[in-house]
């Protein structure tokens, strides 16, 4: 299986640069993976495809304003920092630009000294470990100085940082949003509740690796980045109870899918717990617990497109993407959505 098998042509004008004023106003492509039938709907129609007894699984991670702009203390040269993962004692794994002169021992200044950092190590992959010093509460300083780490294909400045956040975001830790969840509103969740569908929360902190291209031609040689996940006992019970009763497990986004597939055992029982996952889902993978996926349209040759193809079949997915281009769907993070049904 080749990475190039997952390439498709996408006109640049179809890459959504801004979120719609109404979260739920996006279009919805419905792909029936058994029959191959494609329907074109509105996202508000999503309620029609979720039945009483089904369980919607959503990722309640919260994106932090992880992009910082500052200067080197010794030279005054401009520097850009992206926070990737919190370690301990105010030490963060980061991506630094420009990185060539960002050596161990270098001191960085942000917000005229409100936040300072020292590079204490350079990892093999080029990421830097930085020890921060500050007065006050780190999260409050970051909220003041940091910017949302929008994907590289979005060139417009985000007017409202909350639009790159799901309405149910709770736990800080992501460098990117679980974008399939951006379409949901409180009104939609109220309709699902009245219909008798359950909603379960899991957490997976989305890392920068979600944007990194697959650089090997043989898909099986690609190594996934590691991401932290957590499944609380009561949430696992909701999902297991719905599955045992014959309900469908519907994941909101690839991150929710990766979480429950990582935490499920061979019998399709979701185990509560936390840890790091490097699960790589591509065609040939047998899903343990997920039945239906709600997702956005993904980049060509990406691991996310491979995951979607594992569920619906590569040929059907590529045909669906071709149809999406023809119908001028909006692509990527602020774009339209797709639901892949198991019929």
């Amino acid at each position: 299986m080749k990475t190039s098998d997952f390439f498709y042509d996408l006109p640049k004008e179809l890459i959504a640069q801004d979120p719609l004023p109404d979260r739920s106003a996006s279009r919805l492509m419905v792909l029936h993976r058994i029959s191959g039938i494609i329907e074109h709907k509105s996202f508000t129609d999503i309620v029609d495809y979720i039945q009483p007894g089904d369980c919607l699984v959503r990722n309640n991670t919260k994106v932090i304003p992880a992009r910082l702009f500052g200067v080197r203390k010794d030279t005054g040269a401009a520097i850009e920092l992206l926070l990737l993962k919190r370690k301990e004692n105010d030490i963060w794994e980061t991506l630094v630009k420009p990185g060539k002169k960002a050596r161990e021992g270098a001191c960085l200044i942000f917000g005229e000294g409100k936040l300072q950092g020292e590079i204490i190590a350079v990892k093999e992959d080029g990421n830097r470990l930085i020890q921060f010093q500050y007065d006050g509460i780190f999260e409050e300083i970051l909220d003041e100085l940091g910017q949302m780490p929008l994907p590289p294909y979005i060139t417009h400045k985000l007017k409202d940082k909350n639009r790159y956040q799901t309405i149910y975001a709770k736990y800080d830790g992501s460098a990117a949003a679980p974008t399939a969840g951006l379409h949901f509103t409180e009104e939609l969740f109220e309709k699902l509740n009245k219909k008798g569908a359950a909603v379960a929360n899991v957490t997976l902190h989305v890392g920068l690796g979600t944007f990194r291209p697959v650089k090997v031609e043989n898909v099986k040689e690609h190594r996934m980045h590691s991401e932290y996940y957590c499944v609380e006992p009561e949430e696992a019970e909701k999902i297991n109870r719905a599955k045992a009763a014959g309900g469908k497990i519907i994941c909101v986004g690839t991150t929710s899918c990766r979480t429950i597939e990582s935490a499920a055992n061979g019998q399709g029982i979701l185990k509560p717990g936390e840890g790091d996952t490097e699960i790589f889902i591509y065609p040939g993978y047998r899903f343990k617990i997920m039945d239906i996926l709600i997702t956005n349209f993904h980049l060509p040759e990406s691991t996310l497109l491979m995951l979607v193809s594992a569920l619906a079949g590569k040929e059907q997915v590529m045909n669906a993407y071709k149809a999406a281009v023809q119908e001028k769907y909006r692509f990527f993070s602020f774009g339209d959505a797709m639901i892949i049904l198991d019929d």
Side-chain angles (χ1 to χ4, degrees):
M1 191 183 308
K2 296 180 180 179
T3 299
S4 56
D5 292 338
F6 298 88
F7 177 80
Y8 67 93
D9 285 311
L10 179 69
K12 286 186 177 180
E13 61 268 22
L14 296 185
I15 300 175
Q17 293 293 327
D18 302 288
L20 296 175
D22 177 0
R23 285 178 180 265
S24 63
S26 299
R27 297 169 72 187
L28 177 70
M29 176 181 280
V30 181
L31 174 58
H32 300 260
R33 65 183 178 92
I34 303 299
S35 64
I37 293 172
I38 293 173
E39 300 176 86
H40 304 289
K41 300 283 187 175
S42 298
F43 193 81
T44 50
D45 296 324
I46 198 81
V47 177
D48 297 337
Y49 300 98
I50 302 171
Q51 305 306 322
D54 290 347
C55 184
L56 194 75
V57 183
R58 61 190 191 183
N59 181 8
N60 62 6
T61 188
K62 191 173 185 178
V63 185
I64 60 173
R67 180 163 275 126
L68 290 162
F69 294 90
V71 296
R72 288 174 56 104
K73 188 175 183 179
D74 54 353
T75 65
I79 201 155
E80 179 183 342
L81 199 70
L82 185 64
L83 303 178
L84 300 179
K85 185 182 293 186
R86 187 194 292 267
K87 296 296 186 178
E88 68 282 317
N89 300 324
D90 290 318
I91 296 173
W92 282 77
E93 182 176 343
T94 69
L95 183 66
V96 181
K97 294 182 182 178
K100 192 171 285 187
K101 295 183 179 180
R103 302 187 181 97
E104 190 173 325
C107 292
L108 314 175
I109 297 176
F110 306 93
E112 299 180 343
K114 286 185 178 180
L115 182 66
Q116 298 187 41
E118 179 184 350
I119 299 175
I120 60 174
V122 179
K123 298 184 65 182
E124 287 184 10
D125 59 6
N127 292 346
R128 270 66 173 172
L129 294 183
I130 293 184
Q131 171 89 58
F132 287 104
Q133 297 89 36
Y134 53 89
D135 291 324
I137 299 172
F138 182 80
E139 287 73 18
E140 291 181 357
I141 295 171
L142 190 62
D143 193 54
E144 178 185 348
L145 302 180
Q147 295 184 16
M148 281 298 189
L150 294 178
Y153 47 76
I154 292 179
T155 58
H156 293 188
K157 188 171 182 179
L158 186 62
K159 295 177 183 178
D160 178 4
K161 68 173 68 175
N162 288 323
R163 291 308 309 274
Y164 193 57
Q165 205 82 268
T166 64
I167 64 168
Y168 48 84
K170 186 174 182 180
Y171 297 112
D172 287 337
S174 276
T179 54
L182 296 179
H183 306 281
F184 281 91
T185 62
E186 291 291 358
E187 183 181 5
L188 284 176
F189 284 124
E190 287 174 11
K191 288 181 178 179
L192 289 173
N193 182 54
K194 289 179 181 178
K195 195 169 183 179
V199 175
N201 295 297
V202 297
T203 305
L204 183 136
H205 291 324
V206 188
L208 185 67
T210 194
F211 301 126
R212 285 182 175 153
V214 178
K215 295 182 178 180
V216 293
E217 182 59 8
N218 184 347
V219 168
K220 294 180 181 180
E221 293 177 0
H222 176 69
R223 182 174 178 180
M224 288 290 286
H225 53 287
S226 175
E227 293 171 318
Y228 169 84
Y229 76 88
C230 178
V231 180
E232 297 289 351
E234 59 270 25
E235 305 302 318
E237 175 59 27
K238 283 184 194 175
I239 296 167
N240 289 330
R241 187 166 57 243
K243 188 78 171 180
K248 304 293 186 183
I249 305 303
I250 305 165
C251 285
V252 180
T254 57
T255 62
S256 299
C257 167
R258 293 181 69 238
T259 302
I260 66 171
E261 290 296 315
S262 296
N265 65 17
Q267 289 72 48
I269 304 297
L270 187 61
K271 298 292 186 181
E274 60 181 323
D276 293 309
T277 179
E278 296 179 354
I279 190 171
F280 181 21
I281 298 175
Y282 56 88
Y285 178 86
R286 296 187 66 179
F287 288 87
K288 303 172 188 173
I289 192 165
M290 183 182 75
D291 300 300
I292 294 171
L293 177 66
I294 300 168
T295 187
N296 281 15
F297 292 92
H298 304 294
L299 275 73
E301 301 184 331
S302 64
T303 59
L304 305 180
L305 182 54
M306 294 172 190
L307 185 155
V308 173
S309 298
L311 180 64
K314 183 177 73 70
E315 295 303 323
Q316 286 202 149
V317 168
M318 301 311 288
N319 286 337
Y321 271 58
K322 185 177 180 180
V325 171
Q326 290 173 342
E327 295 292 328
K328 299 191 183 310
Y329 275 70
R330 300 166 70 248
F331 278 67
F332 306 160
S333 295
F334 289 138
D336 296 316
M338 167 191 280
I339 183 169
I340 302 172
L341 302 175
D342 62 343
D343 60 8

